[in-house]
């Protein structure tokens, strides 16, 4: 699963609030929850295996009016080791019609009890480990009537979702899709809903013949029925875990590719059919790339990807049939501003087909062996396809997300056997920190050993479940080294090191002093490279820090121009590096890595006003080969300083007009817009015709700072084809204008937006409502935002939305004091309504 919501929700919430002037109080609120100690004391072990799933056969049909699934299940099992005369299946919120043993073609009734969560079955005899048996169950699944708690990553646990089943919403397609992770497959079919179970499967779905279906494995038959329906049968011959079972039904366009004779297909809503190859088209290349680096060919029969409306959990790696949120459906213009985010998601879910689907975490405590690998696969793909700079930028973002999370919710072990809820495992530790740790492991053992270890791990444990120690053992077997030191500190411990770095120089020698200054007593063992640049050449030294304070002395031919500690920039650590700016200037020009150049740019931004050498670094950075660093330099320029402006303005103008990257063009236009200089009016007017929505949005905002009315009229024209950052810019202008006639655009965009992007749209919407005095419009808008929170069921979202509503209510109350008559009464009503809804949202706690 891609951690789409949990990765970015906080940043979007704070960013959205800040851009409209709301949120300081909200951002100061602590999101840290205080769990019950009694739950944390529970050791979260792997599920005990009494019976093993062998094969699961399902025959299902759907009742759209009731949102029911009518199912028949034939489940073949065998005792795991010890003989047993009973079977317990997970079956949540169902009506159980029949339970029987299938024997000699007949159904023999079995005694059972059912508590609406588990089905306890007495078998007809005691079975031994070498005896298989098949149980038949007839049932009705009622997902909408089941009350179960989800999490921020997985918004609820209904398992089976009917989207717009009555067709009353003209802007939303009728769809059905499933979401099994963590243990929600047992809402729509009886099973042993644990990660350490593996089963082959066969699913027959009876649907209206106008719809297409998708499930795991291969479509083996389609039967036309007399009543206008069709029964599609999908068969999976290789075993996988129940949480990876999936179904999807809807009116999709199916665009087909192939890879080594296997079907590769993309299921999208029909308006996006012409964009499908631009969205998903690199999938065959990804299949080849991952198969090659792992030396383990993609093992499954096909690979399909499908989008689902109202799917707020990002994406899910259902074996051979990944489900993506609708956010992945983007036009060619939107993809110009995407900065490879779509491809990261696609790569993440595909890599799960080795790490997660082929070899599966034996418990949620060991989720890292699924999700950390999928997270790191994004780095691998970016490095392969777009270069190391893009990959390193992504790695830095991931490390920062982990560090930010720690500030508001504390740190935890990567592998943790104590947690309040299994959903808590889906966090920035399991994902982002885990990916950074794998990058360090790769650096510590070398590329060849790293990928050979992954190959051994996959071959040894294919179609099995594992824990982190088995990954360690694979690395040890390949390298011949004991790796407990690495796994103990990074996998079975928490935190990260904080390093103070200083230098001592003497004739012919340089000493690097490394001191660990983190508050906790843990002492980290840190292998790293130190590059010394002296006498016109670079010399590399491999060192291993093992103590609280270590010093390393090296012979040098002359005083070094640069001593580059952690030269590969792989350590997940906070570093305070005591050295002169001249070394950073040299670093930018000679060290070369993304982080080397970035750190130099960041230092130059701080010193640009009084340091000519720093300004030269920023001038060079404006021409950096990587767009992300050009953007960083542009954003850091202090244009209140005439010398800095005159030294860099021509290059910023050139970037705004000609840079091939849309993000760089947008950043340059935004910087020029900050000058509020009329000479740039033609440039901004030309840029609002740019193919990139992001560039258009930046130009519109810049235009608005010069001529609000002209920008407003441009926004009225642009609103007919607006997405992404352009919508944000239009909304800001409409909010400044405060014309209630513009509400229709903002309300419509809010309703059209789905998934994670709806959070940003909610901030835009509330920002506009804060500016108008129209009670019916305000109450309708607040109701729509409240409905969004009910869809997300996310405590963090609820907290920030409710806090912001309270702030807007306070502002309207203050405005009411200054108003008179009908205006005063309307503002008071709006403030009261916002406070009431804020309270309701806050008290719901996302459950």
């Amino acid at each position: 699963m891609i951690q789409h919501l949990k990765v970015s929700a906080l940043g979007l919430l704070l960013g959205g609030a800040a851009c409209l002037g709301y949120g300081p109080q909200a951002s100061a609120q602590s999101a840290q929850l205080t769990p019950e100690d009694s739950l944390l004391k529970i050791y979260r072990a792997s599920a005990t295996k009494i019976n093993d799933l062998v094969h699961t056969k399902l025959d299902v049909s759907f009742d759209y009016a009731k949102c029911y699934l009518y199912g028949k299940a034939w489940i073949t099992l065998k005792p795991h080791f010890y003989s047993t005369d009973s079977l317990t299946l997970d079956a949540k919120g169902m009506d159980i019609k029949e339970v029987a043993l299938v024997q000699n073609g007949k159904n023999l009734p079995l005694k059972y009890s059912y508590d609406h969560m588990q089905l306890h079955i007495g078998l007809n005899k005691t079975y031994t480990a070498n005896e298989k048996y098949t149980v038949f169950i007839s049932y009705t699944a009622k997902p909408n009537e089941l009350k179960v708690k989800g999490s921020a990553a997985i918004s609820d646990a209904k398992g089976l979702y009917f989207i717009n089943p009555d067709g009353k919403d003209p802007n939303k397609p009728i769809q059905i899709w499933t979401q099994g992770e963590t243990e929600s497959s047992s809402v729509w079919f009886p099973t042993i809903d644990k990660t350490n179970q593996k089963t082959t499967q066969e699913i027959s779905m009876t649907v209206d013949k106008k719809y297409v279906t998708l499930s795991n494995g291969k479509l083996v038959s389609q039967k036309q029925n007399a009543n206008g329906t069709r029964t599609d049968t999908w068969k999976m011959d290789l075993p996988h875990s129940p949480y990876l079972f999936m179904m999807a039904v809807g009116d999709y366009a199916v665009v087909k590719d192939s890879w080594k004779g296997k079907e590769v297909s993309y299921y999208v809503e029909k308006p996006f059919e012409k964009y499908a190859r631009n969205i998903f088209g690199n999938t065959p290349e990804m299949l080849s790339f991952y198969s090659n680096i792992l030396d383990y060919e993609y093992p499954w029969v096909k690979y399909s990807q499908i989008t689902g409306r109202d799917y707020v959990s990002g994406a899910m790696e259902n074996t051979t049939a990944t489900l993506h949120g609708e956010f992945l459906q983007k036009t060619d213009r939107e993809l110009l501003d995407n900065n490879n985010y779509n491809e990261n998601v696609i790569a993440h879910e595909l890599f799960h087909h080795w790490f997660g689907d082929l070899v599966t975490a034996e418990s949620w405590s060991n989720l890292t062996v699924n999700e950390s690998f999928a997270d790191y696969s994004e780095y691998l793909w970016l490095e392969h396809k777009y270069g190391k700079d893009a990959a390193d930028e992504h790695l830095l973002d991931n490390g920062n997300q982990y560090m930010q999370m720690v500030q508001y919710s504390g740190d935890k072990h990567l592998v943790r056997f104590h947690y309040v809820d299994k959903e808590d495992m889906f966090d920035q530790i399991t994902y982002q920190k885990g990916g950074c740790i794998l990058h360090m492991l790769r650096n510590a053992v070398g590329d060849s050993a790293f990928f050979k270890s992954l190959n051994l791990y996959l071959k040894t444990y294919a179609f099995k479940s594992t824990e982190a120690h088995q990954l360690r053992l694979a690395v040890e077997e390949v390298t011949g080294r004991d790796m407990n030191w690495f796994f103990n500190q990074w996998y079975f411990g928490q935190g990260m090191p904080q390093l103070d770095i200083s230098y001592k120089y003497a004739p012919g020698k340089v000493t690097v002093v490394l001191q660990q200054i983190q508050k906790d007593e843990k002492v980290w063992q840190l292998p790293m490279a130190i590059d010394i640049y002296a006498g016109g050449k670079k010399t590399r030294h491999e060192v291993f820090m093992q103590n609280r304070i270590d010093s390393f002395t090296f012979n040098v031919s002359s005083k070094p121009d640069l001593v580059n500690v952690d030269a590969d920039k792989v350590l997940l650590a906070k570093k305070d590096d005591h050295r002169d700016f001249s070394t950073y200037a040299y670093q930018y020009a000679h060290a070369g890595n993304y982080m080397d150049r970035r750190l130099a740019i960041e230092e130059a931004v701080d010193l640009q006003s009084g340091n000519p050498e720093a300004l030269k670094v920023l001038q060079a950075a404006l021409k950096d080969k990587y767009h992300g660093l050009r953007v960083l330099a542009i954003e850091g320029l202090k244009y209140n300083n005439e010398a800095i402006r005159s030294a860099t303005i021509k290059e910023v103008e050139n970037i705004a007009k000609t840079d091939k990257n849309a993000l760089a063009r947008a950043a340059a236009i935004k910087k020029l817009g900050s000058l509020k200089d009329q000479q740039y009016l033609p440039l901004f007017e030309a840029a609002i015709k740019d193919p990139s929505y992001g560039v258009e949005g930046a130009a519109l905002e810049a235009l608005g700072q010069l001529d609000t009315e002209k920008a407003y009229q441009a926004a009225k024209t642009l609103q007919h084809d607006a997405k992404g950052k352009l919508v944000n810019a239009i909304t800001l202008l409409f909010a400044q204008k405060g014309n209630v006639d513009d509400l229709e655009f903002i309300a419509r965009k809010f309703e059209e937006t789905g998934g994670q992007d709806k959070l940003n749209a909610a901030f835009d919407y509330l920002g506009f409502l804060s500016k108008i005095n129209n009670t019916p419009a305000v109450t309708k808008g607040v109701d729509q935002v409240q409905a969004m929170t009910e869809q997300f069921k996310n405590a963090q979202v609820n907290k920030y939305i409710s806090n912001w509503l309270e702030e807007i209510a306070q502002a309207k109350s203050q405005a009411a004091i200054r108003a008179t008559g009908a205006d005063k009464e309307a503002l008071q009503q709006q403030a009261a309504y916002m406070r009431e809804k804020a309270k309701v949202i806050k008290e719901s706690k996302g459950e």
Side-chain angles (χ1 to χ4, degrees):
M1 172 177 283
I2 192 77
Q3 200 195 19
H4 186 55
L5 176 62
K6 294 195 75 173
V7 166
S8 52
L10 182 64
L12 286 176
L13 287 164
L14 297 181
C19 73
L20 288 174
Y22 293 92
Q25 294 179 23
S27 65
Q29 300 287 333
S30 172
Q32 186 170 352
L33 302 176
T34 303
E36 297 177 22
D37 290 342
S38 60
L39 290 174
L40 279 176
K41 290 177 181 177
I42 300 172
Y43 181 81
R44 307 292 183 174
S46 301
T48 300
K49 299 173 75 172
I50 299 172
N51 287 282
D52 289 343
L53 295 171
V54 176
H55 183 69
T56 302
K57 179 180 178 181
L58 303 174
D59 188 343
V60 303
S61 60
F62 307 96
D63 187 327
Y64 285 81
K66 294 180 179 179
C67 294
Y68 286 179
L69 175 149
Y70 302 116
K72 296 178 180 178
W74 293 263
I75 306 168
T76 301
L77 309 100
K78 69 179 187 65
H80 179 72
F81 182 81
Y82 299 104
S83 299
T84 184
D85 61 358
S86 63
L87 169 66
T88 297
L89 296 174
D90 299 298
K92 301 183 176 81
M94 299 177 180
D95 286 344
I96 303 297
K97 307 294 185 182
E98 180 184 357
V99 178
L101 182 76
V102 179
Q103 200 169 74
N104 299 322
K106 295 182 179 180
N107 288 349
L108 305 178
L110 294 173
K111 293 181 179 180
Y112 68 92
S113 63
Y114 181 51
D115 61 8
H116 294 281
M117 295 297 286
Q118 288 189 316
L119 183 61
H120 303 279
I121 302 171
L123 301 175
N124 64 322
K125 68 167 193 171
T126 297
Y127 286 84
T128 62
N130 59 1
E131 290 181 287
K132 295 180 183 179
Y133 62 92
T134 299
V135 172
F136 169 78
I137 302 168
S138 176
Y139 64 97
T140 300
K142 302 177 175 181
N144 288 3
E145 297 175 19
L146 180 67
K147 301 298 181 184
V148 285
K149 180 183 177 183
S151 71
I154 304 161
S155 63
D156 59 27
K158 291 196 299 184
L160 173 65
Y161 297 79
F162 289 81
I163 308 302
N164 194 26
D166 55 12
K168 289 182 179 179
D169 187 342
N171 298 314
K172 187 177 292 185
I174 298 171
Q175 294 177 351
I176 295 173
W177 46 261
T178 61
Q179 167 60 35
E181 193 172 39
T182 46
E183 296 174 8
S184 300
S185 287
S186 49
V187 176
W188 62 275
F189 67 96
T191 189
I192 303 175
D193 208 350
K194 302 299 178 185
T195 62
N196 59 2
Q197 290 284 340
K198 299 268 185 171
T199 173
T200 54
Q201 76 178 71
E202 181 178 328
I203 299 179
S204 296
M205 288 181 274
T206 298
V207 299
D208 191 298
K209 63 181 180 181
K210 67 182 177 181
Y211 294 132
V212 299
T213 68
L214 178 64
S215 187
N216 314 92
K218 195 168 185 177
L219 181 63
V220 294
S221 72
Q222 290 188 302
K223 176 186 174 185
Q224 302 294 332
N225 302 316
N227 62 355
T229 64
R230 187 187 70 251
T231 300
D232 291 354
T233 299
W234 295 81
K235 193 171 183 183
M236 185 82 167
D237 291 328
L238 297 175
H240 65 147
S241 294
Y243 78 90
L244 297 166
F245 279 38
M246 78 85 70
M247 298 185 300
V249 182
D251 187 17
Y252 289 96
V254 184
V255 177
K256 293 189 176 183
D257 260 339
S258 65
W259 179 80
K260 293 191 174 182
K262 295 182 178 182
E263 178 185 321
V264 177
S265 51
Y266 321 126
Y267 289 60
V268 293
E269 293 175 28
K270 289 182 176 177
F272 290 90
E273 181 175 7
K274 61 184 176 181
Y275 306 114
R277 290 191 185 279
N278 284 345
I279 297 168
F280 296 106
N282 281 335
T283 301
E285 184 181 345
M286 288 181 186
L287 284 161
S288 292
F289 170 62
Y290 289 142
S291 294
N292 289 337
I293 63 168
L294 296 171
D295 193 23
Y296 195 110
E297 190 163 297
Y298 176 78
W300 310 100
V301 68
K302 68 120 172 26
Y303 189 54
S304 299
Q305 296 174 84
I306 191 168
T307 62
R309 281 292 184 102
D310 297 341
Y311 183 72
V312 297
S313 297
M316 181 64 209
E317 66 273 13
N318 309 301
T319 315
T320 77
T322 287
L323 173 63
H324 294 285
E326 65 192 273
F327 71 90
L328 214 69
Q329 294 184 143
K330 285 183 167 57
T331 65
D332 292 348
R333 292 188 65 193
E334 290 177 279
L335 289 171
L336 293 173
D337 305 318
N338 193 244
N339 201 28
N340 302 322
Y341 181 75
N342 270 24
E343 289 197 32
N344 289 337
V345 175
I346 292 167
H348 181 113
E349 304 307 327
L350 176 57
F351 206 69
H352 266 309
H353 282 70
W354 287 268
F355 293 88
D357 297 5
L358 178 66
V359 181
T360 308
E362 70 174 16
S363 69
W364 300 117
S365 294
N366 281 277
L367 183 61
T368 179
V369 299
N370 290 9
E371 294 298 350
S372 299
F373 276 104
D375 183 273
Y376 190 55
S377 74
E378 300 168 28
Y379 182 98
L380 296 173
W381 172 250
L382 290 172
E383 182 183 36
H384 163 77
K385 186 68 175 176
Y386 300 103
K388 194 171 184 300
D389 286 347
D392 285 346
E393 180 182 58
H394 186 64
L395 189 75
L396 174 66
D397 289 343
N398 283 357
N400 286 339
Q401 287 174 27
Y402 155 67
M403 293 180 194
Q404 290 165 8
M405 188 212 93
V406 169
Q407 291 179 356
Y408 68 83
S409 64
D411 213 334
K412 304 174 186 71
H413 292 197
L414 181 59
V415 177
R416 68 197 89 134
F417 294 98
H418 296 274
Y419 50 73
V420 174
D421 190 283
K422 58 186 178 297
E423 313 297 349
D424 298 341
M425 292 298 300
F426 293 81
D427 61 11
Q428 284 89 340
I429 296 171
T430 296
Y431 285 73
Q432 285 79 10
K433 184 181 183 182
C436 292
I437 289 169
L438 286 171
H439 191 59
M440 288 189 290
L441 178 62
R442 175 185 174 187
N443 184 265
V445 302
D447 275 17
S448 178
F450 178 75
F451 290 111
K452 181 66 175 176
S453 298
L454 301 193
N455 172 267
L456 177 62
Y457 173 80
L458 292 172
K459 286 182 175 179
T460 303
Y461 303 111
F463 307 108
K464 299 176 183 178
S465 56
T466 63
E467 58 184 33
H469 280 302
Q470 286 157 308
L471 173 63
R472 173 181 61 81
L473 292 171
V475 177
E476 290 184 345
E477 183 170 339
V478 168
T479 64
R481 302 176 185 173
D482 183 279
M483 296 301 295
N484 276 292
W485 65 271
F486 185 92
F487 279 78
N488 286 343
Q489 67 184 12
W490 289 113
Y491 279 78
F492 303 100
Q494 65 184 47
M496 65 178 178
Q498 186 171 346
L499 299 181
D500 182 89
I501 307 169
S502 59
Y503 310 86
K504 297 177 182 178
Y505 300 102
K509 294 183 182 298
V510 61
T511 299
V512 179
V513 181
L514 302 178
Q515 182 176 359
Q516 297 186 31
I517 60 173
Q518 61 272 6
K519 292 181 180 179
D520 59 88
E521 296 180 357
K522 181 175 181 177
V523 177
W524 296 79
Q525 299 182 60
L526 303 172
M528 70 185 82
I530 297 177
D531 286 348
I532 298 178
Y533 295 77
K537 70 174 187 175
K538 179 183 79 172
T539 304
R540 169 155 291 198
H541 302 275
E542 300 288 350
V543 303
F544 201 154
M545 184 181 190
Q546 301 184 71
N547 302 295
R548 196 81 184 187
I549 302 176
D550 275 330
S551 61
F552 302 93
T553 300
F554 309 103
N555 295 325
V556 291
S557 59
S558 60
K559 184 175 180 179
D561 297 298
L562 168 66
V563 178
N564 193 5
V565 176
D566 183 25
D568 291 326
K569 297 297 180 286
V570 297
L571 289 183
L572 181 62
K574 292 182 179 180
K575 290 179 280 189
D576 190 2
D577 200 348
H578 302 284
R579 50 190 172 98
D580 296 335
F581 181 75
S582 61
T583 66
Y584 284 101
Y586 190 92
Q587 179 174 303
Y588 182 83
H590 297 90
N593 276 342
Y594 167 84
M595 281 304 302
D596 289 320
R597 283 146 48 221
R598 182 184 180 102
L599 288 169
I601 294 169
E602 290 174 345
E603 290 289 325
V605 166
D606 291 341
L607 298 173
Q608 61 185 294
S609 297
N611 187 321
E613 196 173 18
L615 183 54
K616 287 182 180 179
V617 168
L618 291 179
Q619 288 177 297
L622 292 175
K623 298 180 180 180
D624 195 279
K625 64 180 181 177
Y626 183 61
H627 72 267
L629 293 180
R630 298 198 295 276
V631 170
L632 181 69
I634 293 167
E635 293 175 344
L637 292 171
K638 297 177 180 177
Y639 270 6
N640 58 341
N641 183 304
E642 174 61 33
I644 295 170
R645 187 166 66 250
S646 61
T648 60
I649 193 73
K650 291 300 182 184
E651 186 58 35
V652 173
E653 291 173 2
N654 182 55
I655 292 171
K657 295 173 184 176
T658 65
D659 201 287
K660 293 181 180 180
N661 184 271
L663 300 179
R665 295 199 303 278
I669 289 169
K670 184 176 180 180
K671 179 61 69 173
L672 295 175
S674 70
L675 296 175
K676 301 179 183 179
D677 189 332
Q678 290 289 334
Q679 71 168 306
Y680 296 117
L681 193 63
L683 190 157
F684 300 152
E685 289 180 310
I688 60 174
K689 299 170 185 169
D690 194 276
S692 157
Y693 290 117
V695 173
E696 281 190 320
L700 189 62
E701 288 185 32
L703 184 62
Q705 296 182 76
L706 295 176
D707 189 331
T708 303
E709 187 58 33
K710 182 175 284 189
Y712 177 72
Q713 293 305 320
K716 297 290 283 185
T717 300
L718 291 169
Q719 69 176 324
H720 302 295
D721 179 19
K723 294 181 184 296
K725 295 289 181 65
L726 180 57
V727 173
N728 303 138
I730 292 172
T731 301
L732 283 170
L733 275 167
F734 285 177
Q736 292 172 19
K737 196 76 172 176
N739 187 343
V740 73
D741 293 338
D742 295 324
L743 178 64
E744 188 276 334
F745 167 81
I746 299 167
R748 174 169 52 82
K749 284 298 178 183
F750 179 76
E751 284 303 307
E752 288 177 357
T753 304
Q756 172 74 36
D757 295 336
K758 206 171 185 76
L759 291 176
N760 270 346
F763 287 115
D764 290 340
Y765 201 176
L766 291 176
F768 183 85
L769 296 177
S770 73
K771 302 292 186 180
I772 63 172
N773 184 7
N774 183 300
T775 302
V778 169
T779 55
K780 178 182 177 182
V782 171
D783 286 346
Q784 288 175 284
V785 173
Q786 181 190 7
M788 178 205 74
T789 66
E790 293 172 354
Q791 177 189 356
F792 274 91
K793 295 181 175 65
N794 181 297
Q796 188 174 322
V797 169
N798 288 0
K799 184 168 189 171
Y800 283 94
I801 291 290
S802 61
N803 284 343
W804 202 24
L805 279 171
E806 288 170 356
E807 290 194 38
I808 298 174
Q810 180 63 26
K812 285 187 177 285
S813 293
Q814 292 297 318
I817 294 173
R818 300 186 295 270
T820 59
D823 284 345
K824 183 183 189 75
E825 183 179 351
L827 287 166
Q828 289 173 335
Q829 289 178 355
Q830 293 163 36
Y833 194 74
M834 286 184 162
R835 287 193 181 97
E836 175 190 341
K837 291 299 183 180
K839 182 179 179 182
V840 171
I841 292 170
K842 183 176 289 186
E843 291 178 350
S844 72
K845 297 180 181 179
E847 298 181 11

